[in-house]
Amino acid sequence: MCAGELCGMMHTDEGRPDGGWIRVRVPLPFSLKYVNAYLVPERDGWTLVDPGLRTPEAERLWREVLERSGIGFREIRAIVLTHPHPDHIGLAGWFQERSRAPVYMSGRAHAYAMRLWGPERTFTDELPALYREHGLPREMEEALRDHLEGFVAMVSPLPEPVFIQGGDRLEVGGKGWEILDTPGHADGHLCFYLREERRLLCGDQVLNGITPNISLVPGGEPGVLARYLDSLASLEKLEVELALPGHRDPIRDMRGRIGEIREHHVRRLEAMEAMLETPLTAFEVCMQLFGGRVNGSMHHLRFAMSETLAHLEHLAREGRAASARGADDIVRWKRG
Ligand SMILES: [Zn+2]
């Protein structure tokens, strides 16, 4: 059933396969290493959740997994996306072409994907322009643009969506899951909750071992970190025995993990506030916070810079920081 180390059966209790769910660890060419996709058995086929980034390695793995599991592409009845980041949506269109299955995602998620990778995409220009006004050196703009364009092949073809939204229900594994709007990590991010089994499909909203990236991006709704923290607060109210995330291992103590993530953001906000005794650009704050880890990688820089902007925006909302545009057209931040 397993394809080497990259795929494993889900277990809720020691040794007991859980309702036939298959977790497939789809490889990623980033430090995250893999994304969790889930194959869920249905009466007449399978539902596929978050199929992963489109790379030759991922395609090869999927062909192996399906063959070893005896699953034909046409037996995939539905494809469900928690959110539109490339490591989750990338293979959705590839699977849709082969299975002809509907791809369920939120309208906001689809709009985001179109802005980044659709034929009339604008993000490739908008993101470098945003970073530029926040201090990104001009010589890095072109590399950032190339980096963004490099994702188009890894998410193509984009799927034809069927829109779902918070408050609706979706049948997965023969059971009615509640759809929850959980913005913050991505616009249009959805979680899926099976109340009677206290189980949550949580995408990248809550992760073990790593804190989900919170990014301020052009065209996003304002207050991204506030919206993320609100989403965590709404999830915290749920009874959850097992949360199935988009990366790393399943989460048993979701409330405990939410508490740790919240604490992480409190500490980061305090650290940034302390830096702003002297005015700094977001890029300078980013380098002080993440410099060593960015290490010349555009991929890391993008996460670090948007995470920095999200926290600065949050400090400004709380009256703890303020920004001003200089004569050089660059925005600088200082303590509020
Ligand atoms: Zn992810």
Side-chain angles (χ1 to χ4, degrees), residues 236-283:
E236 205 171 23
K237 293 193 189 110
L238 303 177
E239 295 300 328
V240 175
E241 282 176 12
L242 182 70
L244 302 171
H247 304 275
R248 306 279 183 111
D249 290 329
I251 301 161
R252 302 279 175 185
D253 177 14
M254 198 182 70
R255 284 201 181 110
R257 185 61 193 141
I258 286 175
E260 290 169 1
I261 293 172
R262 189 182 287 122
E263 183 57 31
H264 160 85
H265 290 293
V266 168
R267 285 197 308 272
R268 175 153 291 163
L269 288 165
E270 286 170 356
M272 278 194 191
E273 195 181 7
M275 280 179 203
L276 299 177
E277 286 296 343
T278 50
L280 294 172
T281 67
F283 182 74

mmCIF file of all heavy atoms in Angstrom, residues 236-283:
data_model
loop_
_atom_site.group_PDB
_atom_site.id
_atom_site.type_symbol
_atom_site.label_atom_id
_atom_site.label_comp_id
_atom_site.label_asym_id
_atom_site.label_seq_id
_atom_site.Cartn_x
_atom_site.Cartn_y
_atom_site.Cartn_z
ATOM 1 N N GLU A 236 -10.432 27.001 18.445
ATOM 2 C CA GLU A 236 -10.158 26.602 19.828
ATOM 3 C C GLU A 236 -11.433 26.189 20.558
ATOM 4 O O GLU A 236 -11.383 25.401 21.504
ATOM 5 C CB GLU A 236 -9.512 27.798 20.544
ATOM 6 C CG GLU A 236 -8.659 27.442 21.718
ATOM 7 C CD GLU A 236 -7.911 28.681 22.209
ATOM 8 O OE1 GLU A 236 -8.360 29.809 21.948
ATOM 9 O OE2 GLU A 236 -6.871 28.498 22.858
ATOM 10 N N LYS A 237 -12.555 26.704 20.096
ATOM 11 C CA LYS A 237 -13.834 26.379 20.765
ATOM 12 C C LYS A 237 -14.314 24.973 20.409
ATOM 13 O O LYS A 237 -15.190 24.427 21.071
ATOM 14 C CB LYS A 237 -14.910 27.385 20.332
ATOM 15 C CG LYS A 237 -14.662 28.805 20.816
ATOM 16 C CD LYS A 237 -15.905 29.658 20.633
ATOM 17 C CE LYS A 237 -15.589 31.116 20.897
ATOM 18 N NZ LYS A 237 -15.614 31.937 19.687
ATOM 19 N N LEU A 238 -13.775 24.401 19.344
ATOM 20 C CA LEU A 238 -14.251 23.093 18.885
ATOM 21 C C LEU A 238 -13.634 21.975 19.715
ATOM 22 O O LEU A 238 -12.487 22.074 20.156
ATOM 23 C CB LEU A 238 -13.871 22.867 17.415
ATOM 24 C CG LEU A 238 -14.339 23.893 16.392
ATOM 25 C CD1 LEU A 238 -13.801 23.525 15.017
ATOM 26 C CD2 LEU A 238 -15.861 23.971 16.371
ATOM 27 N N GLU A 239 -14.396 20.908 19.870
ATOM 28 C CA GLU A 239 -13.826 19.689 20.468
ATOM 29 C C GLU A 239 -13.145 18.923 19.346
ATOM 30 O O GLU A 239 -13.802 18.504 18.384
ATOM 31 C CB GLU A 239 -14.944 18.834 21.083
ATOM 32 C CG GLU A 239 -15.648 19.485 22.255
ATOM 33 C CD GLU A 239 -14.703 19.796 23.411
ATOM 34 O OE1 GLU A 239 -13.733 19.034 23.603
ATOM 35 O OE2 GLU A 239 -14.921 20.811 24.099
ATOM 36 N N VAL A 240 -11.825 18.775 19.446
ATOM 37 C CA VAL A 240 -11.070 18.091 18.382
ATOM 38 C C VAL A 240 -10.159 17.040 19.015
ATOM 39 O O VAL A 240 -9.338 17.363 19.865
ATOM 40 C CB VAL A 240 -10.216 19.097 17.570
ATOM 41 C CG1 VAL A 240 -9.340 18.367 16.561
ATOM 42 C CG2 VAL A 240 -11.103 20.107 16.852
ATOM 43 N N GLU A 241 -10.358 15.792 18.608
ATOM 44 C CA GLU A 241 -9.467 14.732 19.096
ATOM 45 C C GLU A 241 -8.325 14.489 18.124
ATOM 46 O O GLU A 241 -7.256 14.039 18.514
ATOM 47 C CB GLU A 241 -10.248 13.425 19.293
ATOM 48 C CG GLU A 241 -11.057 13.451 20.570
ATOM 49 C CD GLU A 241 -11.912 12.218 20.745
ATOM 50 O OE1 GLU A 241 -11.721 11.228 20.009
ATOM 51 O OE2 GLU A 241 -12.795 12.274 21.615
ATOM 52 N N LEU A 242 -8.586 14.750 16.853
ATOM 53 C CA LEU A 242 -7.549 14.525 15.846
ATOM 54 C C LEU A 242 -7.680 15.588 14.760
ATOM 55 O O LEU A 242 -8.728 15.701 14.127
ATOM 56 C CB LEU A 242 -7.712 13.132 15.214
ATOM 57 C CG LEU A 242 -6.658 12.754 14.178
ATOM 58 C CD1 LEU A 242 -5.294 12.529 14.830
ATOM 59 C CD2 LEU A 242 -7.069 11.499 13.410
ATOM 60 N N ALA A 243 -6.622 16.363 14.576
ATOM 61 C CA ALA A 243 -6.590 17.328 13.481
ATOM 62 C C ALA A 243 -5.584 16.833 12.454
ATOM 63 O O ALA A 243 -4.454 16.463 12.790
ATOM 64 C CB ALA A 243 -6.209 18.708 13.992
ATOM 65 N N LEU A 244 -6.021 16.829 11.202
ATOM 66 C CA LEU A 244 -5.177 16.337 10.105
ATOM 67 C C LEU A 244 -4.674 17.545 9.329
ATOM 68 O O LEU A 244 -5.446 18.220 8.645
ATOM 69 C CB LEU A 244 -5.988 15.413 9.203
ATOM 70 C CG LEU A 244 -6.588 14.210 9.932
ATOM 71 C CD1 LEU A 244 -7.552 13.463 9.037
ATOM 72 C CD2 LEU A 244 -5.487 13.279 10.419
ATOM 73 N N PRO A 245 -3.378 17.835 9.446
ATOM 74 C CA PRO A 245 -2.837 19.068 8.861
ATOM 75 C C PRO A 245 -2.234 18.866 7.471
ATOM 76 O O PRO A 245 -2.042 17.732 7.009
ATOM 77 C CB PRO A 245 -1.739 19.436 9.861
ATOM 78 C CG PRO A 245 -1.225 18.097 10.323
ATOM 79 C CD PRO A 245 -2.384 17.123 10.252
ATOM 80 N N GLY A 246 -1.872 19.974 6.851
ATOM 81 C CA GLY A 246 -1.268 19.949 5.516
ATOM 82 C C GLY A 246 0.218 19.618 5.515
ATOM 83 O O GLY A 246 0.781 19.302 4.458
ATOM 84 N N HIS A 247 0.853 19.709 6.673
ATOM 85 C CA HIS A 247 2.272 19.357 6.781
ATOM 86 C C HIS A 247 2.507 18.697 8.144
ATOM 87 O O HIS A 247 1.754 18.932 9.076
ATOM 88 C CB HIS A 247 3.175 20.599 6.667
ATOM 89 C CG HIS A 247 2.947 21.374 5.406
ATOM 90 N ND1 HIS A 247 3.579 21.060 4.210
ATOM 91 C CD2 HIS A 247 2.139 22.421 5.129
ATOM 92 C CE1 HIS A 247 3.168 21.899 3.276
ATOM 93 N NE2 HIS A 247 2.287 22.735 3.813
ATOM 94 N N ARG A 248 3.578 17.930 8.212
ATOM 95 C CA ARG A 248 3.971 17.275 9.470
ATOM 96 C C ARG A 248 2.887 16.287 9.935
ATOM 97 O O ARG A 248 2.059 15.859 9.173
ATOM 98 C CB ARG A 248 4.281 18.314 10.556
ATOM 99 C CG ARG A 248 5.326 19.362 10.139
ATOM 100 C CD ARG A 248 6.730 18.822 10.288
ATOM 101 N NE ARG A 248 7.725 19.816 9.972
ATOM 102 C CZ ARG A 248 8.558 20.386 10.865
ATOM 103 N NH1 ARG A 248 8.505 20.051 12.141
ATOM 104 N NH2 ARG A 248 9.460 21.262 10.474
ATOM 105 N N ASP A 249 2.967 15.957 11.252
ATOM 106 C CA ASP A 249 2.150 14.867 11.773
ATOM 107 C C ASP A 249 0.784 15.333 12.262
ATOM 108 O O ASP A 249 0.599 16.508 12.558
ATOM 109 C CB ASP A 249 2.898 14.178 12.924
ATOM 110 C CG ASP A 249 4.094 13.396 12.403
ATOM 111 O OD1 ASP A 249 4.014 12.894 11.256
ATOM 112 O OD2 ASP A 249 5.091 13.298 13.126
ATOM 113 N N PRO A 250 -0.158 14.383 12.363
ATOM 114 C CA PRO A 250 -1.473 14.725 12.914
ATOM 115 C C PRO A 250 -1.346 15.358 14.306
ATOM 116 O O PRO A 250 -0.388 15.091 15.031
ATOM 117 C CB PRO A 250 -2.185 13.373 12.998
ATOM 118 C CG PRO A 250 -1.518 12.531 11.962
ATOM 119 C CD PRO A 250 -0.090 12.973 11.937
ATOM 120 N N ILE A 251 -2.319 16.181 14.663
ATOM 121 C CA ILE A 251 -2.270 16.950 15.906
ATOM 122 C C ILE A 251 -3.305 16.378 16.874
ATOM 123 O O ILE A 251 -4.493 16.307 16.555
ATOM 124 C CB ILE A 251 -2.573 18.440 15.618
ATOM 125 C CG1 ILE A 251 -1.548 18.989 14.618
ATOM 126 C CG2 ILE A 251 -2.575 19.253 16.912
ATOM 127 C CD1 ILE A 251 -1.979 20.264 13.927
ATOM 128 N N ARG A 252 -2.827 15.953 18.041
ATOM 129 C CA ARG A 252 -3.727 15.391 19.071
ATOM 130 C C ARG A 252 -4.215 16.473 20.026
ATOM 131 O O ARG A 252 -5.357 16.447 20.442
ATOM 132 C CB ARG A 252 -2.975 14.333 19.888
ATOM 133 C CG ARG A 252 -2.425 13.212 19.055
ATOM 134 C CD ARG A 252 -3.504 12.216 18.748
ATOM 135 N NE ARG A 252 -3.021 11.195 17.841
ATOM 136 C CZ ARG A 252 -3.780 10.256 17.334
ATOM 137 N NH1 ARG A 252 -5.064 10.221 17.626
ATOM 138 N NH2 ARG A 252 -3.282 9.363 16.509
ATOM 139 N N ASP A 253 -3.314 17.362 20.409
ATOM 140 C CA ASP A 253 -3.672 18.391 21.384
ATOM 141 C C ASP A 253 -3.798 19.722 20.646
ATOM 142 O O ASP A 253 -2.906 20.563 20.690
ATOM 143 C CB ASP A 253 -2.580 18.468 22.468
ATOM 144 C CG ASP A 253 -2.861 19.578 23.469
ATOM 145 O OD1 ASP A 253 -4.002 20.107 23.493
ATOM 146 O OD2 ASP A 253 -1.936 19.941 24.227
ATOM 147 N N MET A 254 -4.920 19.895 19.961
ATOM 148 C CA MET A 254 -5.018 21.085 19.123
ATOM 149 C C MET A 254 -5.053 22.364 19.954
ATOM 150 O O MET A 254 -4.436 23.358 19.592
ATOM 151 C CB MET A 254 -6.215 21.015 18.196
ATOM 152 C CG MET A 254 -6.048 22.021 17.062
ATOM 153 S SD MET A 254 -7.390 22.101 15.918
ATOM 154 C CE MET A 254 -8.631 22.839 16.924
ATOM 155 N N ARG A 255 -5.785 22.324 21.083
ATOM 156 C CA ARG A 255 -5.841 23.550 21.896
ATOM 157 C C ARG A 255 -4.447 23.924 22.412
ATOM 158 O O ARG A 255 -4.078 25.095 22.422
ATOM 159 C CB ARG A 255 -6.788 23.361 23.075
ATOM 160 C CG ARG A 255 -8.227 23.426 22.654
ATOM 161 C CD ARG A 255 -9.153 23.757 23.810
ATOM 162 N NE ARG A 255 -10.516 23.763 23.315
ATOM 163 C CZ ARG A 255 -11.441 22.848 23.629
ATOM 164 N NH1 ARG A 255 -11.152 21.873 24.472
ATOM 165 N NH2 ARG A 255 -12.657 22.929 23.109
ATOM 166 N N GLY A 256 -3.682 22.918 22.829
ATOM 167 C CA GLY A 256 -2.320 23.189 23.309
ATOM 168 C C GLY A 256 -1.470 23.805 22.208
ATOM 169 O O GLY A 256 -0.731 24.773 22.426
ATOM 170 N N ARG A 257 -1.594 23.268 21.021
ATOM 171 C CA ARG A 257 -0.803 23.776 19.889
ATOM 172 C C ARG A 257 -1.240 25.202 19.508
ATOM 173 O O ARG A 257 -0.398 26.057 19.198
ATOM 174 C CB ARG A 257 -0.939 22.816 18.690
ATOM 175 C CG ARG A 257 -0.077 23.191 17.512
ATOM 176 C CD ARG A 257 1.407 23.187 17.841
ATOM 177 N NE ARG A 257 2.176 23.830 16.789
ATOM 178 C CZ ARG A 257 3.215 24.628 16.999
ATOM 179 N NH1 ARG A 257 3.649 24.858 18.232
ATOM 180 N NH2 ARG A 257 3.854 25.171 15.998
ATOM 181 N N ILE A 258 -2.536 25.449 19.548
ATOM 182 C CA ILE A 258 -3.021 26.810 19.255
ATOM 183 C C ILE A 258 -2.437 27.794 20.269
ATOM 184 O O ILE A 258 -1.996 28.892 19.915
ATOM 185 C CB ILE A 258 -4.574 26.847 19.250
ATOM 186 C CG1 ILE A 258 -5.093 26.190 17.975
ATOM 187 C CG2 ILE A 258 -5.096 28.283 19.375
ATOM 188 C CD1 ILE A 258 -6.605 26.049 17.907
ATOM 189 N N GLY A 259 -2.390 27.399 21.530
ATOM 190 C CA GLY A 259 -1.812 28.262 22.564
ATOM 191 C C GLY A 259 -0.351 28.583 22.266
ATOM 192 O O GLY A 259 0.088 29.734 22.412
ATOM 193 N N GLU A 260 0.407 27.585 21.812
ATOM 194 C CA GLU A 260 1.830 27.811 21.481
ATOM 195 C C GLU A 260 1.978 28.765 20.302
ATOM 196 O O GLU A 260 2.846 29.635 20.288
ATOM 197 C CB GLU A 260 2.509 26.485 21.137
ATOM 198 C CG GLU A 260 2.692 25.557 22.318
ATOM 199 C CD GLU A 260 3.128 24.155 21.893
ATOM 200 O OE1 GLU A 260 3.310 23.899 20.678
ATOM 201 O OE2 GLU A 260 3.266 23.303 22.794
ATOM 202 N N ILE A 261 1.138 28.593 19.297
ATOM 203 C CA ILE A 261 1.230 29.455 18.104
ATOM 204 C C ILE A 261 0.882 30.897 18.471
ATOM 205 O O ILE A 261 1.545 31.844 18.050
ATOM 206 C CB ILE A 261 0.313 28.922 16.976
ATOM 207 C CG1 ILE A 261 0.841 27.577 16.461
ATOM 208 C CG2 ILE A 261 0.214 29.927 15.831
ATOM 209 C CD1 ILE A 261 -0.095 26.869 15.493
ATOM 210 N N ARG A 262 -0.153 31.051 19.294
ATOM 211 C CA ARG A 262 -0.547 32.407 19.714
ATOM 212 C C ARG A 262 0.608 33.074 20.474
ATOM 213 O O ARG A 262 0.951 34.228 20.240
ATOM 214 C CB ARG A 262 -1.790 32.318 20.585
ATOM 215 C CG ARG A 262 -2.386 33.672 20.874
ATOM 216 C CD ARG A 262 -3.586 33.560 21.784
ATOM 217 N NE ARG A 262 -4.756 33.011 21.123
ATOM 218 C CZ ARG A 262 -5.412 31.917 21.516
ATOM 219 N NH1 ARG A 262 -5.015 31.242 22.557
ATOM 220 N NH2 ARG A 262 -6.475 31.511 20.862
ATOM 221 N N GLU A 263 1.236 32.316 21.352
ATOM 222 C CA GLU A 263 2.353 32.831 22.150
ATOM 223 C C GLU A 263 3.519 33.253 21.242
ATOM 224 O O GLU A 263 4.178 34.274 21.466
ATOM 225 C CB GLU A 263 2.779 31.734 23.143
ATOM 226 C CG GLU A 263 3.878 32.118 24.104
ATOM 227 C CD GLU A 263 3.547 33.352 24.938
ATOM 228 O OE1 GLU A 263 2.355 33.591 25.232
ATOM 229 O OE2 GLU A 263 4.494 34.089 25.254
ATOM 230 N N HIS A 264 3.765 32.454 20.217
ATOM 231 C CA HIS A 264 4.820 32.773 19.238
ATOM 232 C C HIS A 264 4.577 34.155 18.623
ATOM 233 O O HIS A 264 5.505 34.960 18.490
ATOM 234 C CB HIS A 264 4.840 31.684 18.156
ATOM 235 C CG HIS A 264 5.497 32.089 16.871
ATOM 236 N ND1 HIS A 264 6.861 32.011 16.676
ATOM 237 C CD2 HIS A 264 4.979 32.598 15.722
ATOM 238 C CE1 HIS A 264 7.149 32.458 15.466
ATOM 239 N NE2 HIS A 264 6.035 32.805 14.865
ATOM 240 N N HIS A 265 3.336 34.431 18.245
ATOM 241 C CA HIS A 265 3.041 35.732 17.621
ATOM 242 C C HIS A 265 3.158 36.875 18.620
ATOM 243 O O HIS A 265 3.619 37.958 18.265
ATOM 244 C CB HIS A 265 1.672 35.696 16.940
ATOM 245 C CG HIS A 265 1.666 34.837 15.714
ATOM 246 N ND1 HIS A 265 2.371 35.164 14.582
ATOM 247 C CD2 HIS A 265 1.089 33.639 15.455
ATOM 248 C CE1 HIS A 265 2.213 34.216 13.670
ATOM 249 N NE2 HIS A 265 1.435 33.270 14.182
ATOM 250 N N VAL A 266 2.758 36.625 19.862
ATOM 251 C CA VAL A 266 2.903 37.665 20.901
ATOM 252 C C VAL A 266 4.385 38.022 21.050
ATOM 253 O O VAL A 266 4.760 39.203 21.068
ATOM 254 C CB VAL A 266 2.317 37.165 22.255
ATOM 255 C CG1 VAL A 266 2.730 38.091 23.401
ATOM 256 C CG2 VAL A 266 0.791 37.064 22.158
ATOM 257 N N ARG A 267 5.227 37.010 21.109
ATOM 258 C CA ARG A 267 6.676 37.271 21.282
ATOM 259 C C ARG A 267 7.260 37.985 20.070
ATOM 260 O O ARG A 267 8.079 38.883 20.195
ATOM 261 C CB ARG A 267 7.428 35.950 21.545
ATOM 262 C CG ARG A 267 7.224 35.410 22.960
ATOM 263 C CD ARG A 267 8.291 34.361 23.283
ATOM 264 N NE ARG A 267 8.370 33.333 22.248
ATOM 265 C CZ ARG A 267 7.632 32.216 22.241
ATOM 266 N NH1 ARG A 267 6.777 31.977 23.205
ATOM 267 N NH2 ARG A 267 7.756 31.327 21.269
ATOM 268 N N ARG A 268 6.841 37.574 18.896
ATOM 269 C CA ARG A 268 7.371 38.212 17.681
ATOM 270 C C ARG A 268 6.955 39.679 17.603
ATOM 271 O O ARG A 268 7.754 40.534 17.225
ATOM 272 C CB ARG A 268 6.905 37.449 16.440
ATOM 273 C CG ARG A 268 7.309 38.129 15.152
ATOM 274 C CD ARG A 268 7.445 37.182 14.018
ATOM 275 N NE ARG A 268 8.581 36.287 14.188
ATOM 276 C CZ ARG A 268 8.744 35.169 13.518
ATOM 277 N NH1 ARG A 268 7.853 34.777 12.648
ATOM 278 N NH2 ARG A 268 9.810 34.429 13.702
ATOM 279 N N LEU A 269 5.723 39.968 17.963
ATOM 280 C CA LEU A 269 5.254 41.361 17.952
ATOM 281 C C LEU A 269 6.080 42.189 18.939
ATOM 282 O O LEU A 269 6.487 43.318 18.631
ATOM 283 C CB LEU A 269 3.761 41.424 18.309
ATOM 284 C CG LEU A 269 2.806 40.906 17.218
ATOM 285 C CD1 LEU A 269 1.416 40.672 17.797
ATOM 286 C CD2 LEU A 269 2.726 41.880 16.036
ATOM 287 N N GLU A 270 6.358 41.618 20.096
ATOM 288 C CA GLU A 270 7.152 42.352 21.102
ATOM 289 C C GLU A 270 8.571 42.600 20.587
ATOM 290 O O GLU A 270 9.129 43.682 20.752
ATOM 291 C CB GLU A 270 7.198 41.561 22.412
ATOM 292 C CG GLU A 270 5.883 41.607 23.172
ATOM 293 C CD GLU A 270 5.824 40.641 24.343
ATOM 294 O OE1 GLU A 270 6.794 39.856 24.542
ATOM 295 O OE2 GLU A 270 4.796 40.650 25.040
ATOM 296 N N ALA A 271 9.147 41.580 19.962
ATOM 297 C CA ALA A 271 10.516 41.717 19.453
ATOM 298 C C ALA A 271 10.580 42.811 18.390
ATOM 299 O O ALA A 271 11.509 43.623 18.351
ATOM 300 C CB ALA A 271 10.993 40.381 18.883
ATOM 301 N N MET A 272 9.584 42.852 17.523
ATOM 302 C CA MET A 272 9.576 43.864 16.456
ATOM 303 C C MET A 272 9.385 45.259 17.030
ATOM 304 O O MET A 272 10.039 46.209 16.603
ATOM 305 C CB MET A 272 8.450 43.586 15.477
ATOM 306 C CG MET A 272 8.805 42.552 14.472
ATOM 307 S SD MET A 272 7.567 42.623 13.179
ATOM 308 C CE MET A 272 7.991 41.151 12.326
ATOM 309 N N GLU A 273 8.471 45.359 17.971
ATOM 310 C CA GLU A 273 8.195 46.657 18.587
ATOM 311 C C GLU A 273 9.487 47.206 19.189
ATOM 312 O O GLU A 273 9.802 48.393 19.035
ATOM 313 C CB GLU A 273 7.130 46.471 19.666
ATOM 314 C CG GLU A 273 6.499 47.756 20.135
ATOM 315 C CD GLU A 273 5.450 47.500 21.224
ATOM 316 O OE1 GLU A 273 5.304 46.350 21.697
ATOM 317 O OE2 GLU A 273 4.796 48.478 21.604
ATOM 318 N N ALA A 274 10.259 46.340 19.833
ATOM 319 C CA ALA A 274 11.508 46.768 20.471
ATOM 320 C C ALA A 274 12.519 47.257 19.434
ATOM 321 O O ALA A 274 13.321 48.146 19.699
ATOM 322 C CB ALA A 274 12.090 45.616 21.286
ATOM 323 N N MET A 275 12.482 46.661 18.225
ATOM 324 C CA MET A 275 13.427 47.077 17.176
ATOM 325 C C MET A 275 13.164 48.485 16.673
ATOM 326 O O MET A 275 14.032 49.114 16.076
ATOM 327 C CB MET A 275 13.279 46.155 15.950
ATOM 328 C CG MET A 275 13.953 44.847 16.064
ATOM 329 S SD MET A 275 13.579 43.968 14.519
ATOM 330 C CE MET A 275 13.829 42.317 15.100
ATOM 331 N N LEU A 276 11.902 48.936 16.819
ATOM 332 C CA LEU A 276 11.496 50.162 16.128
ATOM 333 C C LEU A 276 11.781 51.434 16.926
ATOM 334 O O LEU A 276 11.160 52.463 16.676
ATOM 335 C CB LEU A 276 10.010 50.087 15.752
ATOM 336 C CG LEU A 276 9.652 48.937 14.801
ATOM 337 C CD1 LEU A 276 8.150 48.906 14.544
ATOM 338 C CD2 LEU A 276 10.407 49.036 13.476
ATOM 339 N N GLU A 277 12.725 51.360 17.842
ATOM 340 C CA GLU A 277 13.176 52.580 18.538
ATOM 341 C C GLU A 277 13.728 53.575 17.517
ATOM 342 O O GLU A 277 13.557 54.779 17.645
ATOM 343 C CB GLU A 277 14.270 52.231 19.556
ATOM 344 C CG GLU A 277 13.777 51.533 20.801
ATOM 345 C CD GLU A 277 12.847 52.378 21.649
ATOM 346 O OE1 GLU A 277 12.816 53.603 21.459
ATOM 347 O OE2 GLU A 277 12.131 51.800 22.483
ATOM 348 N N THR A 278 14.449 53.022 16.520
ATOM 349 C CA THR A 278 14.888 53.858 15.397
ATOM 350 C C THR A 278 14.088 53.437 14.166
ATOM 351 O O THR A 278 13.774 52.244 14.019
ATOM 352 C CB THR A 278 16.387 53.633 15.096
ATOM 353 O OG1 THR A 278 16.604 52.223 15.004
ATOM 354 C CG2 THR A 278 17.263 54.217 16.172
ATOM 355 N N PRO A 279 13.727 54.392 13.312
ATOM 356 C CA PRO A 279 12.909 54.034 12.147
ATOM 357 C C PRO A 279 13.625 53.024 11.237
ATOM 358 O O PRO A 279 14.820 53.163 10.976
ATOM 359 C CB PRO A 279 12.715 55.375 11.423
ATOM 360 C CG PRO A 279 12.965 56.416 12.447
ATOM 361 C CD PRO A 279 14.001 55.842 13.365
ATOM 362 N N LEU A 280 12.868 52.037 10.796
ATOM 363 C CA LEU A 280 13.417 50.989 9.926
ATOM 364 C C LEU A 280 12.420 50.694 8.812
ATOM 365 O O LEU A 280 11.206 50.816 9.009
ATOM 366 C CB LEU A 280 13.632 49.694 10.716
ATOM 367 C CG LEU A 280 14.681 49.681 11.826
ATOM 368 C CD1 LEU A 280 14.587 48.368 12.593
ATOM 369 C CD2 LEU A 280 16.086 49.872 11.257
ATOM 370 N N THR A 281 12.953 50.260 7.668
ATOM 371 C CA THR A 281 12.052 49.737 6.639
ATOM 372 C C THR A 281 11.670 48.321 7.046
ATOM 373 O O THR A 281 12.364 47.664 7.844
ATOM 374 C CB THR A 281 12.733 49.682 5.261
ATOM 375 O OG1 THR A 281 13.785 48.708 5.305
ATOM 376 C CG2 THR A 281 13.295 51.034 4.848
ATOM 377 N N ALA A 282 10.576 47.820 6.443
ATOM 378 C CA ALA A 282 10.177 46.438 6.701
ATOM 379 C C ALA A 282 11.297 45.488 6.276
ATOM 380 O O ALA A 282 11.534 44.460 6.925
ATOM 381 C CB ALA A 282 8.886 46.120 5.950
ATOM 382 N N PHE A 283 12.007 45.829 5.216
ATOM 383 C CA PHE A 283 13.096 44.960 4.761
ATOM 384 C C PHE A 283 14.195 44.885 5.823
ATOM 385 O O PHE A 283 14.734 43.812 6.095
ATOM 386 C CB PHE A 283 13.664 45.478 3.431
ATOM 387 C CG PHE A 283 14.757 44.601 2.869
ATOM 388 C CD1 PHE A 283 14.463 43.375 2.290
ATOM 389 C CD2 PHE A 283 16.088 44.997 2.939
ATOM 390 C CE1 PHE A 283 15.463 42.559 1.785
ATOM 391 C CE2 PHE A 283 17.101 44.186 2.435
ATOM 392 C CZ PHE A 283 16.784 42.963 1.856
#
